[in-house]
Amino acid sequence: MARDKISVGIIGFGTVGTGTARILLENSNLIKKRTGVEFILKRIADLDIKKDRGIKIPEGVLTTDANAIINDPDIDIVVELMGGIRPAKDFMLQAIKNKKHVVTANKALLATEGNEIFAEAENNGVEVGFEASVAGGIPIIKVLREGLVANNIVAVYGIINGTSNYILTKMTDEKVEFADALKEAQRLGYAEADPTFDIEGIDSAHKLTILSSLSYGIPLMYDEVYKEGITKITAQDIEFASELGYKIKLLAITKLSDGGVEMRVHPTMIPNEYLISKVDGVFNAVYVEGDAVGATMYYGRGAGDMPTGSAVVADIVDIGKKIIRSQKSEVRSQKESSEFKIKKMEDVESMYYFRFSALDKPGVLSKISGILGNYNISIASVIQKGRRIGGSVPLVVLTHGAREKDVLNAIREIDNLPVVSDKTLFIRVEGKEE
């Protein structure tokens, strides 16, 4: 008799776990109608099973023992939604060794420990589903693995952290400073009490590690990602960017450049007319350029119980259908060889925005431009607002394309000039110049 049922166990009953459980329970008939497979939520494990999550859980499903899921021979798919590195990694590896497929939304775990997890899955002939690990409800993993499988990926640009995007949007729309925008994000629940992972680019770097691996067949190499957060961006920089025709976003970027792969997360100025610059608030977007398809963009909610739960259930259904059809799992071990090397940040080339704090006196611009010229950095435009004879004023320079190493050396020299009163702020610029 043909099999038509798949049993699922969830470890972690927080925000995403609740959304996943709700979808599996409330949309079970819809999923069965569309797939011909019945997905049964057999167990949910969490340390707190008394808290009311707002959904009715069938009798006997809740447990405080994760091993009741991992070691249950009837459970086909183990869903890890507890977050963190340990014990999440231990639970996943044990489930894999027990020949169970696993699904996770844990981008930090995959970015830092994923090579071992994928290798273990390959050894045991099971699959790891991780659609929910990047951009919540946006199916970007499926896009890269399946939808664009015939393309060489030219570049990926992502706004993949809703907290930072909310903060920068508020600073842009209301002309407030970073600290005030962060407080509002915390008040609304968009930012944690400790927002470090979001505002310093760490969360985006975890996700970019996964996108880079999928795009270019390289191992998961989180430590190779350049990371820079948004804490130094001021309302003044946002105003100058607007005057120049740009918006500032925290971008996660991976692309091919001179035979190497760039992996970098940092504030970036994007032209106002670009579609991705219009992605505001807590929304996410990922722009992908393929050699065959050209430019594509994917937009939606990057976090939350139901959007992320939707991505988790998509993986569950995908794997469940393969089990029913007895298909060989399409495991990615991430051990495949790649001809691409990781490009060092100092070798990356882009346009740059500089904000110098310079004394308002004759000859200052010529001194600064002279040093820039010595490092092969040419000026595209200059803005100087206000006059304070003998005092410091902001001097804004937009450059043509330049190499990061040259930029850092030039800034070091410029900041030592007696006519420069504070450290220079610079922002990388993507777009417009051909």
Side-chain angles (χ1 to χ4, degrees), residues 126-431:
V126 297
E127 187 165 356
V128 179
F130 54 100
E131 182 65 67
S133 64
V134 179
I138 303 172
I140 192 62
I141 305 299
K142 203 171 188 69
V143 165
L144 290 171
R145 294 178 77 174
E146 299 176 25
L148 300 182
V149 70
N151 287 253
N152 289 304
I153 302 301
V154 177
V156 178
Y157 298 85
I159 295 173
I160 48 180
N161 181 269
T163 300
S164 290
N165 201 42
Y166 173 84
I167 290 169
L168 289 173
T169 300
K170 192 167 184 68
M171 291 175 71
T172 301
D173 292 348
E174 301 181 20
K175 296 179 170 46
V176 299
E177 293 296 346
F178 171 80
D180 295 323
L182 172 59
K183 283 179 186 174
E184 180 66 6
Q186 289 172 320
R187 186 185 72 80
L188 294 171
Y190 297 144
E192 303 287 343
D194 179 1
T196 303
F197 268 44
D198 296 320
I199 63 176
E200 296 294 353
I202 297 169
D203 176 75
S204 293
H206 285 145
K207 297 167 182 174
L208 184 68
T209 302
I210 296 167
L211 293 178
S212 298
S213 179
L214 289 170
S215 298
Y216 301 114
I218 58 177
L220 294 151
M221 292 187 282
Y222 167 74
D223 290 339
E224 297 293 330
V225 180
Y226 175 82
K227 312 166 199 64
E228 182 183 318
I230 62 172
T231 56
K232 294 178 182 176
I233 303 299
T234 68
Q236 186 180 51
D237 295 311
I238 289 172
E239 187 176 339
F240 279 130
S242 178
E243 190 166 336
L244 289 163
Y246 293 85
K247 272 191 178 178
I248 298 175
K249 296 291 186 182
L250 182 69
L251 273 197
I253 300 168
T254 186
K255 61 181 176 179
L256 288 181
S257 173
D258 301 322
V261 176
E262 297 180 14
M263 294 195 298
R264 47 193 174 101
V265 173
H266 51 69
T268 309
M269 281 171 45
I270 316 165
N272 282 332
E273 63 266 26
Y274 282 26
L275 193 57
I276 198 167
S277 77
K278 305 179 192 305
V279 176
D280 289 332
V282 295
F283 282 85
N284 282 198
V286 183
Y287 166 99
V288 183
E289 183 179 347
D291 65 342
V293 74
T296 64
M297 199 174 91
Y298 310 87
Y299 168 88
R301 293 191 176 274
D305 57 346
M306 298 302 278
T308 310
S310 170
V312 172
V313 175
D315 274 339
I316 292 170
V317 170
D318 241 12
I319 293 170
K321 285 160 66 178
K322 290 170 185 174
I323 294 171
I324 295 297
R325 294 197 299 261
S326 299
Q327 290 185 355
K328 189 179 185 299
S329 173
E330 299 172 6
V331 177
R332 286 186 64 105
S333 69
Q334 310 299 4
K335 291 193 298 185
E336 60 191 271
S337 62
S338 169
E339 70 270 30
F340 303 124
K341 304 296 182 185
I342 305 306
K343 193 168 187 178
K344 292 182 179 179
M345 193 62 196
E346 64 180 19
D347 295 325
V348 166
E349 294 187 13
S350 82
M351 297 164 58
Y352 288 83
Y353 159 100
F354 298 134
R355 175 169 52 79
F356 304 105
S357 294
L359 295 181
D360 185 8
K361 57 191 296 188
V364 171
L365 179 57
S366 64
K367 284 187 174 69
I368 289 174
S369 61
I371 293 173
L372 293 176
N374 290 339
Y375 288 97
N376 302 309
I377 303 167
S378 62
I379 294 174
S381 58
V382 177
I383 298 176
Q384 181 176 341
K385 286 289 184 71
R387 298 300 305 273
R388 290 181 59 194
I389 304 301
S392 291
V393 293
L395 176 65
V396 169
V397 169
L398 191 67
T399 77
H400 295 293
R403 190 173 65 144
E404 179 97 359
K405 184 177 182 179
D406 294 330
V407 166
L408 295 177
N409 287 331
I411 287 176
R412 193 175 298 115
E413 194 169 323
I414 289 169
D415 284 350
N416 283 326
L417 291 174
V419 294
V420 173
S421 61
D422 204 353
K423 285 188 177 298
T424 299
L425 181 132
F426 69 93
I427 301 172
R428 298 163 193 89
V429 181
E430 292 285 329

